[in-house]
């Protein structure tokens, strides 16, 4: 018998065979499907469906347009009938016709609503409302022609508003037929109630106009109407009514608030101020009440902000009429601070944000009001630069106001305004995110107040200078004690120091003392800010110039004093390795060096000395590993110094000017090739050799004597031999080229004589012979040329 495997093993074998059969079957089915697809003829794509013409508008829109157009035409016809055909009928006929048409127009919507024709009912109701206006007009023309037109319009608008309101409420809900239980239970008219509210905007305004009331009464009418609109907008849930009420509240409220503010600003007596304040407080109460009830937080914030501004305008206008003009801004500012105290109460969050925004806006306006005197105190001393040491002024205000620039009016309280706003910033802003910014802003405002205070108080000149100096000391002390000094904290001290330095230019002793003090102060805090060393060096430069001018020195000798600043800058930069202030210090030293060079220009011998000293400073800077490029500046300065000195001695030889450049350039090139043997000879020696050889060759060509061409030829020969000896391409080409051109220059007279002695046919004959010789040995010449090129190519 055949040996059978165990059942488990046999089951495993059967499963394996079945999986292989399934895989083979799937492969064959896929191949079969592909063959069927390949053998079928291609099927053309179905044609695109024809375009469907869509209507350009909807049926409800067409219906509404027709209804509105029909109602408008009927209204126009009624107006024409009232104005044109009215006189052709008797009183009874006129009343009968107009009354019948009005009643028909007002009663038809009842039947139309029962038949679910609300759009038609709205159109007919609009016609009926327009007819009531014509009825009122007709009544005035026939029965009451002698009455005041504005008074009659006020009463008529009030009656029409009441009538339309009652009409809208009466037709506010009409039951549907009993068989339509699934549909909504009521259909309403949307037009009468918002129309009634629109008519209700007129009675108080027209009544005030009819009574020829003054501006306060008219403003009160506007504000009362806006208050009624606000109440309707907050309490009536109908959207169309809310929209009309909101438009009336914002429009009339804004108009009335502006009028009340203008009354407060122009009021001269206590009674006028009190009336204007009462109007503004009423408007503010309406705005704040609306902000309390508004559901939208953003809108509530802005409305509360408007209420806060109106409150400040009301309270700040009371003392304005009885105090001098310079106390106007502080009065409003104090009221804004009082409003800001409400932020700490339990008012809703939108109201607190709005009141804070209003207070901040008033404070911002107060700061802007205080900016003109600050600007004059800051920029006015700059005019002293053109009037150095012409005499000290008597007062601080005279010192900061240049000729033709008056002191701003009402500026006596500008420091108080700035200090109050700074105090508010320091006390009110407590959040961790805004606290640093508020601190910086408060510091800047206190600095501005201290800057403008001497001129605002008009104290003596020396007292103003002392006060500004103390301000700088305080600002620098604040920078020195700050945990993380930032440039924004250093700027007030720097700006004040510039202003103080300009103020000190009025007197000689004051200039020297102030510049010395500023140099010492900024040097003392040089480790706390990257700008402090720069300021110290800048004031040291100004001090050196002022000391020289005080001693009566001329500008070239003052340049020697100014050179002390680049020396100090170079030494200080060496100690500031890795500091952000290193580059600004070096730049300041370079600028001081340029100033010294400019001062020494009138005296060429002293200019050469200044240039040489600047070159020494640059060479000392280049001794540091990370400042090697300063060596190029040192070389250039040495060369310039040598040229200026040669010019002072009256030296006219070109080589005297070019050799001081060639020698350092060749030394630098040799040093570079020693460090990097792959450096090309053109890079190392090309510029140095060209500086001397090319100008000397140009000069030799126009020199009639023989020593210069002879010396140039000897030098060019030596350069060529050195290039050939060391296989350097640049010396070989430059030396050989200059030697050939120099020799041609020397042989030129003889060549000219020979050309004049030869017959005219000799040059063409020689040219022909040369061409024949070249043609005969063309291949050899090409091989020789390639050999010369390869030789030059192997040179470095």
């Amino acid at each position: 018998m055949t040996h059978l495997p165990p059942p488990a093993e046999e089951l495993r074998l059967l499963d394996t065979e079945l999986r292989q059969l399934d895989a083979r079957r799937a492969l064959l089915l896929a191949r079969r499907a592909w063959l069927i697809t390949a053998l079928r003829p291609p099927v053309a794509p179905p044609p695109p469906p024809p375009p469907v013409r869509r209507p350009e508008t909807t049926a409800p829109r067409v219906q509404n347009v027709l209804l509105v157009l029909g109602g408008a035409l009927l209204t126009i016809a009624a107006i024409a009938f009232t104005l044109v055909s009215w006189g052709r009928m008797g009183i009874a006929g006129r009343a009968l016709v107009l009354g019948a048409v009005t009643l028909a127009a007002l009663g038809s919507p009842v039947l139309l609503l029962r038949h679910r024709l609300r759009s038609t009912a709205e159109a007919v109701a609009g016609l009926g409302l327009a007819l009531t206006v014509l009825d009122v007009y007709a009544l005035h023309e026939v029965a009451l022609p002698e009455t005041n037109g504005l008074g009659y319009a006020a009463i008529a608008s009030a009656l029409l508003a009441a009538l339309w309101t009652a009409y809208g409420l009466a037709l506010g809900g009409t039951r549907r037929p009993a068989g339509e239980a699934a549909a909504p239970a009521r259909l309403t008219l949307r037009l009468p109630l918002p129309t009634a509210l629109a008519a209700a905007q007129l009675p108080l305004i027209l009544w005030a106009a009819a009574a020829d009331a003054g501006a306060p009464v008219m403003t009160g009418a506007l504000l009362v109407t806006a208050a009624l609109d606000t109440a309707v907008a907050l309490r009536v849930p109908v959207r169309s009514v809310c929209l009309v009420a909101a438009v009336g509240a914002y429009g009339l409220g804004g108009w009335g608030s502006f009028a009340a503010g203008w009354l407060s600003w122009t009021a001269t007596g206590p009674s006028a101020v009190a009336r204007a304040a009462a109007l503004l407080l009423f408007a503010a109460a309406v705005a704040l009440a609306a902000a309390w009830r508004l559901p939208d937080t953003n809108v509530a914030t802005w409305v509360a902000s408007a209420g806060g501004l109106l409150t400040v305008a009301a309270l700040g206008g009371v003392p304005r009429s009885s105090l001098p003009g310079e106390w106007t801004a502080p009065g409003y500012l104090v009221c804004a601070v009082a409003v800001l105290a409400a932020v700490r109460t339990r008012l809703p969050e939108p109201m607190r944000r709005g009141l804070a925004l209003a207070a901040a806006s008033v404070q911002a306006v107060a700061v802007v009001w205080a900016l003109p005197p600050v600007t004059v105190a800051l920029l006015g001393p700059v005019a002293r630069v053109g009037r150095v040491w012409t005499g000290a002024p008597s007062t601080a205000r005279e010192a900061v106001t240049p000729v033709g620039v008056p002191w701003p009016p009402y500026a006596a309280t500008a420091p108080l305004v700035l200090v109050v706003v700074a105090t508010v910033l320091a006390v009110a802003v407590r959040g961790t995110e805004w606290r640093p910014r508020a601190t910086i802003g408060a510091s800047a405002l206190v600095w501005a107040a201290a800057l403008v205070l001497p001129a605002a108080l008009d104290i003596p000149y020396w007292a103003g200078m002392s006060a500004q100096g103390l301000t700088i000391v305080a600002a620098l002390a604040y920078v020195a004690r700050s945990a993380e000094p930032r440039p924004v904290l250093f700027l007030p001290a720097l700006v004040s120091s510039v202003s103080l330095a300009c103020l000190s230019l009025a007197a000689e002793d004051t200039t020297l003392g102030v510049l010395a003090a500023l140099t010492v102060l900024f040097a003392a805090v040089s480790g706390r800010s990257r700008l402090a060393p720069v300021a110290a060096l800048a004031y040291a430069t100004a001090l050196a110039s002022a000391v020289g001018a005080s001693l009566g020195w001329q500008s070239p000798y003052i340049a020697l004093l100014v050179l002390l600043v680049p020396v100090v800058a170079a030494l200080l930069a060496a100690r500031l390795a890795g500091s952000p202030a290193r580059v600004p210090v070096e730049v300041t030293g370079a600028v001081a060096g340029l100033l010294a060079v400019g001062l020494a220009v009138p005296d060429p011998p002293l200019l050469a000395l200044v240039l040489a000293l600047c070159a020494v400073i640059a060479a000392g800077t280049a001794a540091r590993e990370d400042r090697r490029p300063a060596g190029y500046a040192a070389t250039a300065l040495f060369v310039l110094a040598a040229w200026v000195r040669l010019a002072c001695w009256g030296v006219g030889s070109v080589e005297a000017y070019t050799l001081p450049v060639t020698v350092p350039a060749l030394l630098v090139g040799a040093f570079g090739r020693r460090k990097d043997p792959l450096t090309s000879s053109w890079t190392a020696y090309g510029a140095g050799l060209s500086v001397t050889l090319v100008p000397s060759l140009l000069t030799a060509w126009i020199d009639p004597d023989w020593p210069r061409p002879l010396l140039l030829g000897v030098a060019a020969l030596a350069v060529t031999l050195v290039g050939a000896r060391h296989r350097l391409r640049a010396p070989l080409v430059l030396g050989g080229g200059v030697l050939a051109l120099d020799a041609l220059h020397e042989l030129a007279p003889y060549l000219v004589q020979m050309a004049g002695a030869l017959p005219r046919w000799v040059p063409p004959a020689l040219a022909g012979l040369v061409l024949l010789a070249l043609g005969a040995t063309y291949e050899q010449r090409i091989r020789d040329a390639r050999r010369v090129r390869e030789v030059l190519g192997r040179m470095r």
Side-chain angles (χ1 to χ4, degrees):
M1 294 181 63
T2 305
H3 176 70
L4 295 176
E9 181 67 19
E10 185 178 1
L11 180 61
R12 186 183 64 79
L13 294 175
L14 290 176
D15 290 339
T16 303
E17 292 291 338
L18 289 175
R19 280 195 298 271
Q20 292 178 357
L21 290 175
D22 291 339
R24 181 61 177 171
R25 175 180 174 82
L27 179 62
L28 294 176
L29 289 175
R31 181 63 179 175
R32 181 178 179 277
W34 182 86
L35 292 174
I36 293 174
T37 304
L39 293 175
R40 286 178 181 174
V43 180
V52 179
R53 179 172 298 177
R54 301 180 181 274
E56 297 181 356
T57 184
T58 60
R61 291 184 180 179
V62 174
Q63 170 189 320
N64 293 335
V65 170
L66 294 177
L67 290 175
V68 172
L69 182 59
L73 292 177
L74 288 175
T75 303
I76 293 172
I79 294 173
F81 169 76
T82 304
L83 298 178
V84 178
S85 301
W86 186 258
R88 300 178 185 176
M89 305 176 64
I91 296 177
R94 284 177 279 181
L96 180 62
V97 171
L98 199 55
V101 173
T102 303
L103 291 175
L106 293 177
S108 298
V110 178
L111 299 175
L112 293 172
L113 288 175
R114 289 181 179 177
H115 291 82
R116 303 167 55 191
L117 300 174
R118 185 168 64 179
S119 297
T120 307
E122 295 281 1
V124 176
L127 175 61
L129 298 180
L131 289 175
T132 57
V133 177
L134 294 178
D135 290 340
V136 171
Y137 170 75
L139 180 62
H140 177 269
E141 293 295 324
V142 174
L144 303 170
E146 302 298 331
T147 58
N148 186 358
L150 289 176
Y152 179 81
I155 297 173
S157 59
L159 293 176
L160 286 176
L163 176 63
W164 292 347
T165 302
Y167 180 71
L169 293 176
L171 295 183
T174 301
R175 295 188 178 277
R176 293 176 175 273
E180 301 183 4
R186 293 177 181 272
L187 286 177
T188 59
L189 284 179
R190 301 174 181 175
L191 184 62
L193 291 180
T195 307
L197 185 58
Q201 311 299 311
L202 303 177
L204 290 178
I205 300 174
L206 293 177
W207 169 77
D212 199 13
V217 178
M218 178 62 74
T219 304
L222 291 171
L223 293 177
V224 170
T225 305
L228 295 175
D229 289 334
T230 303
V232 172
L234 293 175
R235 292 184 176 275
V236 176
V238 182
R239 184 175 181 180
S240 57
V241 176
C242 289
L243 180 61
V244 175
V247 172
Y250 285 115
L252 297 180
W255 184 10
S257 299
F258 177 79
W262 182 255
L263 290 175
S264 176
W265 185 257
T266 57
T268 56
S271 59
V273 172
R275 286 194 298 270
L279 292 172
L280 287 171
L281 287 176
F282 176 74
V286 173
L288 293 175
W292 189 294
R293 296 290 304 274
L294 282 171
D296 191 338
T297 57
N298 292 329
V299 177
T301 298
W302 289 107
V303 173
S305 175
L309 291 175
L310 291 172
T311 303
V312 173
L315 300 178
V318 174
R320 186 196 59 81
S321 60
S322 57
L323 294 177
E326 57 266 17
W327 290 97
T328 299
Y332 285 106
L333 181 60
V334 170
C335 296
V337 175
V339 169
L340 187 62
V343 177
R344 300 296 179 183
T345 62
R346 295 183 179 182
L347 293 174
E349 179 64 22
M351 292 190 64
R352 286 190 283 131
R353 285 202 307 264
L355 292 176
L357 181 61
S361 302
V362 176
Q363 293 177 56
V365 172
V367 171
V368 172
W369 174 84
L371 283 182
V374 175
T375 305
V376 173
L378 187 62
L379 300 180
V382 179
R384 292 280 172 187
V385 176
R387 297 182 287 117
V388 178
W389 298 350
T390 56
S394 58
T395 63
R397 184 177 299 179
E398 182 182 351
V400 300
T401 50
V403 179
V405 179
W407 181 251
Y410 309 123
T413 56
L416 177 62
V417 169
L418 296 172
V419 170
V420 170
V421 177
T423 305
V424 171
L425 284 176
V427 174
V429 181
R430 298 184 180 275
T432 57
E433 180 182 358
W434 290 93
R435 183 66 179 175
R437 304 176 188 176
T439 302
I440 293 174
S443 303
L445 291 175
V446 171
W447 164 75
L451 184 67
V452 77
L453 184 61
L457 298 179
D458 203 14
I459 60 178
Y461 169 72
W462 63 268
M465 294 282 293
S466 301
Q468 194 160 350
L470 293 176
T471 302
I472 298 172
V473 172
L476 291 178
Y478 181 73
V479 172
R481 297 186 61 182
S482 299
E484 296 180 0
R486 289 175 289 181
V488 69
L489 300 177
F490 182 79
L491 287 179
L494 182 60
V495 174
S496 296
S497 67
V498 174
S499 178
L500 181 62
C502 293
L503 283 176
S504 68
L505 296 177
E508 179 179 346
D509 296 338
T510 307
T511 302
L512 296 176
V514 167
L515 291 178
L518 291 177
T519 303
V520 173
L521 285 175
F522 283 100
V525 296
S526 59
R528 302 295 295 170
S529 174
R530 70 179 66 181
L531 297 178
V534 176
L537 292 174
Y539 287 123
T541 303
L543 178 61
S545 303
V547 169
S550 177
L551 295 175
W553 292 1
Q554 296 182 353
S555 60
Y557 296 96
I558 297 176
L560 298 176
L561 282 178
V562 174
L563 278 180
L564 294 175
V565 177
V567 173
V568 174
L571 297 176
L572 182 61
R575 298 175 60 88
L576 294 176
S579 173
R582 185 179 188 181
V583 174
V585 166
E586 292 176 342
V587 172
T588 306
V591 173
L594 290 177
L595 176 61
V597 172
L599 291 174
V601 167
D603 191 345
L606 198 58
L607 175 61
L609 176 61
V610 170
L611 289 171
L613 294 176
C614 291
V616 171
I617 298 172
T621 302
R624 301 200 303 268
E625 185 67 27
D626 56 342
R627 289 295 184 265
R628 296 300 186 197
Y632 297 106
T635 303
L637 290 171
F638 275 124
V639 170
L640 289 176
W643 286 357
V644 173
R645 175 56 60 185
L646 291 173
C648 294
W649 289 339
V651 176
S653 177
V654 177
E655 290 75 14
Y657 294 92
T658 57
L659 286 176
V661 180
T662 296
V663 174
L666 293 178
L667 293 177
V668 172
F671 179 74
R673 280 183 59 82
R674 178 174 295 180
K675 292 186 64 176
D676 185 8
L678 299 179
T679 303
S680 172
S681 62
W682 285 106
T683 303
Y685 308 117
L689 293 174
S690 301
V691 167
T692 295
L693 292 178
V694 174
S696 298
L697 178 62
L698 296 177
T699 306
W701 271 78
I702 59 176
D703 191 353
D705 296 330
W706 61 270
R708 180 185 297 275
L710 177 61
L711 295 175
L712 177 61
V714 171
L717 178 60
V719 170
T720 304
L721 295 176
V722 170
R725 170 68 179 80
H726 296 282
R727 302 177 63 187
L728 298 175
R729 185 183 302 175
L732 182 62
V733 174
L734 290 175
V738 171
L739 180 61
L741 293 175
D742 186 64
L744 179 62
H745 170 264
E746 294 301 312
L747 294 176
Y750 302 102
L751 295 177
V752 171
Q753 294 178 3
M754 186 181 298
L758 292 176
R760 294 181 179 272
W761 55 269
V762 173
L766 293 176
L769 291 174
V770 170
L771 292 176
L772 289 175
L774 289 175
T777 59
Y778 183 74
E779 184 177 359
Q780 181 65 33
R781 300 299 179 185
I782 292 177
R783 187 164 51 252
D784 294 341
R786 289 177 179 173
R787 187 176 303 165
V788 172
R789 185 175 63 186
E790 291 175 358
V791 171
L792 291 177
R794 287 194 295 269
M795 295 183 180
R796 291 172 292 175

